Amino acid sequence: MSEKLWDGRFSEKTSSRVEKFTSSIQIDKRLYAYDIAGSVAHSQMLAKCGVITADEAAELVRGLELIKGEIESGALAYDDSLEDIHMHIEARLFQEVGKVAQKLHTARSRNDQVALDVRMYLRKETADLIRSLARLREQFILLAREHVDTIMPGYTHMQRAQPVLFSHHLMAYYEMFTRDARRLADCLTRINVMPLGTAALAGTTYPIDRHYVAELLNFPLVSSNSMDTVADRDFILEFLADAGICMLHFSRLSEELILWSTSEFGFIELSDAFSTGSSIMPQKKNPDIPELVRGKTGRVIGGLVSMLTTVKSLPMTYNRDLQEDKEPLFDAVDTLAACVDIVTRMLPEITVQKDRMRSAANTGFLNATDLADYLVSLGVPFREAHSHVGQAVAYAIENGRELHDLTLEELHKFSPGIKADVFELLQPENVVNRRTSYGGTAGTSVAAAIEAAAAELQSDKQTLPSF
Ligand code: ARG
């Protein structure tokens, strides 16, 4: 058991059970680089403000950089009795540079220090995620461009509804992931606020310059209220909510990929490299990647719920409960990053069974709305047209046929004005291509939407954060 950096007022040593229970080092050790960068900036600021000398600051910085090397080479041993990464670095610094190490913690506390470390970690991870989401969005655009004339059934209630272009379906996911990327970019503006120097909760009596620290660490903003600063975890909650929504999108996509690769649908085939076999059934090719992506969604949503519950009812300001923020956050970051990466790699490997999609779009009365619209063009009120077509559908079902397989005479039983040009109109291509309303599935609209998305993605890339 080592001496504690805070044990001045204690007469008994901490029990090892308590040390084990309260320690967070195994989790927060991944913050070391941000902790060191923050301490370097803090030392330089203390020297600039005359709180320590320039030589002392130089000695602290030398020691901190040496420790960084030790951590990266695996030379620094972690020990529960030193609680967290902040304590480990400070204790090691004392061994290295001696008494001057004790000046590093002037005008700050671990409460603002941990807020700084997590904010620096999360702004980097968020920026990385926005960058990887840009690569994913690009894949949707590339795949959509290949399928501007691939027709598939569109569904509502999991029932065939109207034919759509496969590219239109893909671009629906482009939209979702674009919102996700932009939500994260918005969240980043609230993550990227510098908290150091608020000290434990009330600010400090030393003449420090928090804006100088912000400048050194490349933060555009400095937090305003010292109490809010050490108590605030909204930026984590927001990130987890954004990550959860993004995972929902991955989960919905996965569900579709799984369905489409069944023999029942047969719309796509996942490549062998992205599938797994069964240990008992030799014929199986399982969609484990999308299944795992779908399965991992629960962890990220769980992380959000866990953090909401942790923060709920906490009085001002810092409470040790907040130490519980890192596990769900790190897990959500890792999970989301892994999903973005694997799905980006999996998409171009998918084989699309165009013929199967096309023939599925040809059955199930997907052109019924168009027949009704056709009757409307002949002057039949829509409700009446709807009912006539409904009767035609019932008749076709009874006879095991589709609307476009009925003869003109048969169609006349339901609406006498129908002409022979109706058959052309009922072709899936025409059903699709007549939907030229903005945002609709017509080939021309989808091609324009794809090119607009490509331009939008280019401009989003111009404003990617530089962390
Ligand atoms: N390990 C703590 C955390 O992650 C650091 C802050 C501790 N502050 C304190 N007053 N015990 O939240």
Side-chain angles (χ1 to χ4, degrees):
M1 205 182 309
S2 56
E3 298 258 304
K4 295 281 184 287
L5 294 170
W6 42 253
D7 67 3
R9 60 101 72 206
F10 287 77
S11 51
E12 258 185 82
K13 284 201 181 297
T14 324
S15 95
S16 60
R17 276 176 203 281
V18 169
E19 285 181 345
K20 197 159 185 290
F21 184 75
T22 54
S23 161
S24 58
I25 184 62
Q26 291 311 330
I27 307 297
D28 59 33
K29 62 185 179 190
R30 77 155 85 176
L31 296 174
Y32 78 92
Y34 304 111
D35 199 75
I36 288 174
S39 290
V40 166
H42 186 66
S43 311
Q44 288 165 342
M45 180 278 290
L46 289 177
K48 175 181 172 274
C49 298
V51 180
I52 62 174
T53 67
D55 286 350
E56 286 172 331
E59 190 54 1
L60 289 171
V61 171
R62 182 191 68 78
L64 287 163
E65 268 152 18
L66 181 123
I67 296 169
K68 188 170 182 212
E70 287 179 357
I71 294 177
E72 284 166 0
S73 70
L76 190 96
Y78 295 117
D79 173 359
D80 278 345
S81 69
L82 282 172
E83 230 177 276
D84 55 26
I85 189 65
H86 327 293
M87 294 297 212
H88 274 78
I89 292 172
E90 203 182 318
R92 177 70 193 96
L93 191 63
F94 182 73
Q95 291 171 346
E96 182 59 32
V97 302
K99 258 192 126 26
V100 62
Q102 296 176 329
K103 296 198 173 182
L104 175 63
H105 217 49
T106 315
R108 76 170 188 193
S109 102
R110 272 186 298 156
N111 300 350
D112 53 339
Q113 195 180 352
V114 72
L116 175 74
D117 294 5
V118 176
R119 285 176 182 273
M120 287 182 75
Y121 156 81
L122 193 54
R123 72 176 179 178
K124 165 80 170 75
E125 297 296 332
T126 304
D128 283 349
L129 279 166
I130 296 169
R131 277 187 283 271
S132 2
L133 280 168
R135 290 190 284 274
L136 174 73
R137 290 158 66 197
E138 179 97 62
Q139 284 307 322
F140 278 103
I141 291 176
L142 293 176
L143 200 54
R145 278 199 186 125
E146 280 176 39
H147 290 285
V148 276
D149 47 19
T150 304
I151 293 182
M152 68 180 295
Y155 296 78
T156 64
H157 313 268
M158 267 312 279
Q159 305 287 322
R160 286 184 196 168
Q162 289 173 343
V164 292
L165 291 179
F166 182 48
S167 47
H168 196 47
H169 198 129
L170 291 169
M171 290 307 286
Y173 284 102
Y174 167 87
E175 293 293 331
M176 294 176 230
F177 292 115
T178 297
R179 287 197 293 277
D180 292 330
R182 291 177 169 189
R183 240 190 302 274
L184 285 171
D186 185 54
C187 177
L188 190 52
T189 62
R190 282 173 294 281
I191 297 171
N192 202 12
V193 178
M194 209 293 294
L196 203 67
T198 56
L201 78 161
T204 174
T205 54
Y206 295 95
I208 60 171
D209 184 348
R210 298 185 59 215
H211 291 86
Y212 182 61
V213 175
E215 209 179 296
L216 292 176
L217 296 174
N218 190 21
F219 278 94
L221 292 170
V222 174
S223 67
S224 311
N225 179 298
S226 61
M227 295 179 76
D228 176 48
T229 300
V230 293
D232 174 32
R233 293 295 182 273
D234 292 2
F235 65 100
I236 295 181
L237 291 170
E238 245 187 280
F239 174 86
L240 289 171
D242 294 355
I245 296 171
C246 188
M247 284 303 295
L248 287 186
H249 296 150
F250 276 119
S251 188
R252 297 182 76 170
L253 172 67
S254 299
E255 175 72 14
E256 298 211 282
L257 296 176
I258 294 162
L259 280 174
W260 291 345
S261 54
T262 57
S263 352
E264 286 74 8
F265 274 81
F267 287 178
I268 61 163
E269 198 182 323
L270 298 173
S271 73
D272 285 0
F274 285 86
S275 307
T276 51
S278 156
S279 53
I280 175 166
M281 296 166 283
Q283 85 284 12
K284 289 296 287 291
K285 181 168 160 185
N286 294 330
D288 291 30
I289 309 296
E291 285 176 315
L292 275 169
V293 169
R294 186 178 59 184
K296 285 175 189 290
T297 306
R299 300 165 65 137
V300 177
I301 295 171
L304 170 63
V305 175
S306 151
M307 256 324 270
L308 286 167
T309 317
T310 298
V311 177
K312 172 188 167 294
S313 315
L314 285 190
M316 288 290 108
T317 52
Y318 178 84
N319 298 272
R320 191 65 180 271
D321 315 44
L322 292 176
Q323 179 169 290
E324 288 296 311
D325 60 358
K326 287 164 217 63
E327 243 178 303
L329 176 64
F330 294 170
D331 190 64
V333 167
D334 294 346
T335 305
L336 182 55
C339 292
V340 181
D341 179 64
I342 200 81
V343 174
T344 305
R345 290 168 195 278
M346 183 177 59
L347 282 181
E349 301 288 318
I350 290 173
T351 308
V352 179
Q353 309 292 6
K354 290 180 173 204
D355 295 345
R356 189 74 195 208
M357 285 186 173
R358 173 69 176 69
S359 66
N362 221 13
T363 53
F365 310 99
L366 280 77
N367 46 15
T369 316
D370 290 68
L371 181 56
D373 288 344
Y374 174 82
L375 297 184
V376 170
S377 77
L378 299 179
V380 182
F382 184 76
R383 278 286 158 238
E384 200 181 320
H386 185 284
S387 150
H388 290 168
V389 176
Q391 289 161 25
V393 167
Y395 172 85
I397 292 173
E398 240 168 66
N399 292 278
R401 320 232 305 270
E402 287 289 324
L403 286 176
H404 47 266
D405 299 330
L406 300 181
T407 62
L408 199 53
E409 294 70 53
E410 284 173 308
L411 285 172
H412 281 164
K413 289 195 222 159
F414 308 100
S415 201
I418 299 179
K419 302 197 182 58
D421 62 354
V422 76
F423 295 107
E424 184 61 22
L425 180 125
L426 293 180
Q427 285 305 304
E429 284 71 17
N430 292 327
V431 172
V432 164
N433 284 328
R434 284 174 49 247
R435 285 178 165 68
T436 50
S437 53
Y438 181 75
T441 194
T444 47
S445 308
V446 174
I450 295 172
E451 292 329 305
E456 166 189 88
L457 179 57
Q458 258 341 92
S459 105
D460 280 10
K461 280 187 186 165
Q462 306 301 309
T463 55
L464 284 178
S466 59
F467 306 114

